[in-house]
């Protein structure tokens, strides 16, 4: 099979014996589309203690096989106004290893329409996060109606803080799970009902199989993260495993994994949210939440294609095709008219993850020692940006916005 790429970086033809100029034979390796990550935190601008920025963050995305990534709005300051969104876009110039999409925070109904002219989507925080307070519940219907009118995707952090507990005898990830219990997640989703017609709802980082089934049955979009699929709450007070929503008890992750394997989870997203090793060394309850994941998401799952019976097409739909469609991007498939954002993967090249081989400035990974398969080459618009674990691109990533609405097809040049 051959893929023909035009001068415009789009796929012109897929087939056998294509005519054309320069040829590149990938040998026994497999050609797949680049992933699209609809949830990452590049922490830019991020104040004095930030351990990430657009340059370092998107380099990890590139090396991990992600060709486009959503940047979430809980930066410092948070992207709650058009001015801040525009100045964030300016900060990206010449610093992006891959493309990014900038989300705005959904906080005030009157700001939604102006923000929609600049943002690629919205994030609704239903529990407090860095510098953003959740909207009052009585305001939700008007906020959601305003967001529905924009036709942009709305990602929701679904945790209702009224169900958070203040005390637990438990420590570590077990205790965190008890303080922010499953009920908080399910109840937050109920608060979004009735879901206004036309709202492009997407529930971020779902951790519970029953919750995933409910959203699936209602036909709404949602994502799960590698950490909630592969890790569980357990004893030990290591705050590197502290994330929001929390890691759940072991049956949740194995049942979620089963759903993922059966293709019942629409989207895989990293929720790349690095924190410094020093901050994570604080006592569990004082340490910040979040873990890095842009560089490791796809490699962890490619290894599971090889070792754990995960179907490659199931993975690619969740990691590339569906997020691209959610975001209105002509990529995520090897098909005519799509951007030639491609990975060359050699499934014989399995490695073990080691923090010192990775490129996160925070210097640690929750997946130390896990098997991984990194893409050998990464192309954006047919141009090589990663070769054998090195970024070889020229930081030509762009700020993207949706190119087509849901239901429309990818424009073919
Ligand atoms: Zn997040």
């Amino acid at each position: 099979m051959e893929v023909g790429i035009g001068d415009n970086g789009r796929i012109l033809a897929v087939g056998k014996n294509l005519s054309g100029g320069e040829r590149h034979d990938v040998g026994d390796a497999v050609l797949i589309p680049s992933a699209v990550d609809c949830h990452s935190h590049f922490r830019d601008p991020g104040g004095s203690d930030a351990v990430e920025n657009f340059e370092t963050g998107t380099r990890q995305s590139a090396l991990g096989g992600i060709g486009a990534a959503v940047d979430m709005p809980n930066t410092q300051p948070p992207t709650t106004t058009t001015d801040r969104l525009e100045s964030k876009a300016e900060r990206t110039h010449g610093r992006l290893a891959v493309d990014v999409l900038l989300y705005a925070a959904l906080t005030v109904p009157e700001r939604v329409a102006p923000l929609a002219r600049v943002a690629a989507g919205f994030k609704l925080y239903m529990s407090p996060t860095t510098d953003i307070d959740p909207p009052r519940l009585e305001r939700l219907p008007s906020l959601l109606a305003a967001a529905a009118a924009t036709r942009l995707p709305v990602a929701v952090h679904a945790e209702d803080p009224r169900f958070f507990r203040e005390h637990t005898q438990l420590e570590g990830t077990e205790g965190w799970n008890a303080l922010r219990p499953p009920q908080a997640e399910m109840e937050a989703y109920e608060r979004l009902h009735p879901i206004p017609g036309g709202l492009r709802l997407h529930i971020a980082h779902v951790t519970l199989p029953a919750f995933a089934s409910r959203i699936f049955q209602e036909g709404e979009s949602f994502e799960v993260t590698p950490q909630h699929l592969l890790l569980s709450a357990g004893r030990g007070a290591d705050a590197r495993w502290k994330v929001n929503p929390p890691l759940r008890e072991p049956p949740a992750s194995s049942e979620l994994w089963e759903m993922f394997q059966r293709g019942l989870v629409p989207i895989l997203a990293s929720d790349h949210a690095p924190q410094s090793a020093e901050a994570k060394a604080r006592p569990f309850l004082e340490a910040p939440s979040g873990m890095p994941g842009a560089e490791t998401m796809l490699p962890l799952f490619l290894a599971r294609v090889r070792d754990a019976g995960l179907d490659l097409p199931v993975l690619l739909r969740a990691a590339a095709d569906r997020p691209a469609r959610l975001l209105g991007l002509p990529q995520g498939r090897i098909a005519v008219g799509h951007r030639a954002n491609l990975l060359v993967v050699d499934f014989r090249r399995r490695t073990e993850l080691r923090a010192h081989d990775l490129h996160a400035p925070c210097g640690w990974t929750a997946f130390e020692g896990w098997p991984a398969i990194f893409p050998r080459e990464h192309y954006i618009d047919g141009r090589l940006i990663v070769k054998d674990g090195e970024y070889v691109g020229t930081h030509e990533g762009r700020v993207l916005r949706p190119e087509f609405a849901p239901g429309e097809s990818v424009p073919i040049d």
Side-chain angles (χ1 to χ4, degrees):
M1 193 61 73
E2 296 175 344
V3 177
I5 301 169
D7 292 334
N8 61 358
R10 299 268 171 141
I11 296 173
L12 290 178
V14 182
K16 281 184 180 155
N17 303 316
L18 301 180
S19 58
E22 199 187 327
R23 303 182 91 82
H24 176 49
D25 185 353
V26 303
D28 290 337
V30 178
L31 197 61
I32 61 173
S34 308
V36 174
D37 187 2
C38 63
H39 193 156
S40 45
H41 300 263
F42 293 132
R43 312 271 193 227
D44 196 336
S48 53
D49 52 351
V51 281
E52 197 73 280
N53 58 49
F54 279 122
E55 216 165 318
T56 57
T58 58
R59 188 183 310 133
Q60 292 163 69
S61 308
L63 292 165
I66 293 164
V70 165
D71 179 58
M72 286 300 177
N74 60 339
T75 40
Q76 289 177 328
T79 31
T80 48
T81 64
T82 47
D83 281 356
R84 285 180 181 176
L85 204 55
E86 278 162 357
S87 89
K88 191 188 248 195
E90 271 165 34
R91 294 177 70 88
T92 67
H93 289 161
R95 299 170 70 210
L96 297 178
V98 298
D99 296 328
V100 299
L101 298 96
L102 303 179
Y103 270 26
L106 196 58
T107 54
V108 183
E110 299 71 42
R111 287 191 195 153
V112 172
L115 278 167
R117 288 193 280 275
V118 195
F122 290 98
K123 177 75 174 275
L124 171 63
Y125 288 94
M126 296 181 77
S127 59
T129 180
T130 323
D131 290 344
I132 302 176
D133 284 327
R136 289 198 309 274
L137 286 179
E138 61 270 22
R139 228 174 185 178
L140 269 184
S142 57
L143 256 186
L144 294 176
T150 70
R151 307 293 283 145
L152 290 175
V154 177
V156 177
H157 182 119
E159 279 189 292
D160 185 335
R162 292 176 305 168
F163 295 87
F164 292 171
R165 299 195 188 115
E166 284 189 5
H167 298 289
T168 171
Q169 301 297 325
L170 299 165
E171 289 184 351
T173 46
E174 254 183 337
W176 196 237
N177 178 34
L179 288 175
R180 297 172 79 116
Q183 198 187 8
E185 203 176 327
M186 311 276 280
E187 289 292 337
Y189 182 64
E190 298 311 322
R191 297 290 86 73
L192 301 170
H193 290 70
I195 297 168
L199 180 69
R200 301 191 54 212
L201 186 63
H202 172 80
I203 307 298
H205 40 50
V206 168
T207 70
L208 306 157
F211 186 27
S213 300
R214 166 135 170 74
I215 307 169
F216 191 88
Q217 276 159 14
E218 291 202 343
E220 303 294 345
S221 176
F222 67 95
E223 73 195 27
V224 296
T225 68
Q227 44 275 28
H228 292 110
L229 283 169
L230 304 178
L231 308 173
S232 299
R235 290 185 183 283
D238 192 326
R240 288 178 298 176
W241 279 258
K242 183 180 179 184
V243 290
N244 293 334
L247 300 180
R248 302 299 186 191
E249 305 282 330
S253 54
S254 53
E255 284 169 32
L256 260 191
W257 172 253
E258 217 162 276
M259 291 181 74
F260 187 83
Q261 269 192 311
R262 290 169 57 208
L264 301 177
V265 169
I267 289 179
L268 177 69
S270 76
D271 196 4
H272 174 77
Q275 303 285 2
S276 73
E278 296 75 50
K280 285 292 202 178
R282 290 180 207 145
F284 197 97
L285 289 180
E286 291 163 35
S289 295
M291 58 171 65
E295 192 175 2
T296 52
M297 175 174 77
L298 193 66
L300 278 166
F301 279 71
L302 289 172
R304 293 182 85 83
V305 169
R306 179 186 143 149
D307 301 334
L310 176 61
D311 191 26
L312 182 60
V314 166
L315 172 60
L316 296 181
R317 279 195 289 275
D321 188 22
R322 288 201 201 95
R325 251 121 281 276
L326 174 76
L327 299 166
L329 304 178
Q331 60 194 78
R333 286 182 196 177
I334 299 181
V336 172
H338 285 61
R339 295 175 64 188
N341 291 3
L342 303 167
L343 305 172
V344 175
V345 176
D346 183 346
F347 279 95
R348 292 165 304 192
R349 287 203 196 181
R350 185 177 52 179
T351 53
E352 278 183 7
L353 290 178
R354 298 287 168 215
H356 65 80
D357 297 330
L358 296 171
H359 298 77
C362 69
W364 59 275
T365 172
F367 297 100
E368 186 77 23
W370 283 64
I373 296 172
F374 283 86
R376 197 174 76 190
E377 293 164 22
H378 189 173
Y379 295 84
I380 295 289
D381 297 325
R383 286 195 310 268
L384 187 67
I385 63 160
V386 170
K387 186 164 174 51
D388 296 325
E390 296 291 331
Y391 179 70
V392 296
T394 48
H395 294 95
E396 285 176 84
R398 291 174 294 140
V399 175
L400 303 180
R401 298 191 67 239
E403 289 185 32
F404 56 91
E408 285 179 17
S409 57
V410 173
I412 295 176
D413 293 334

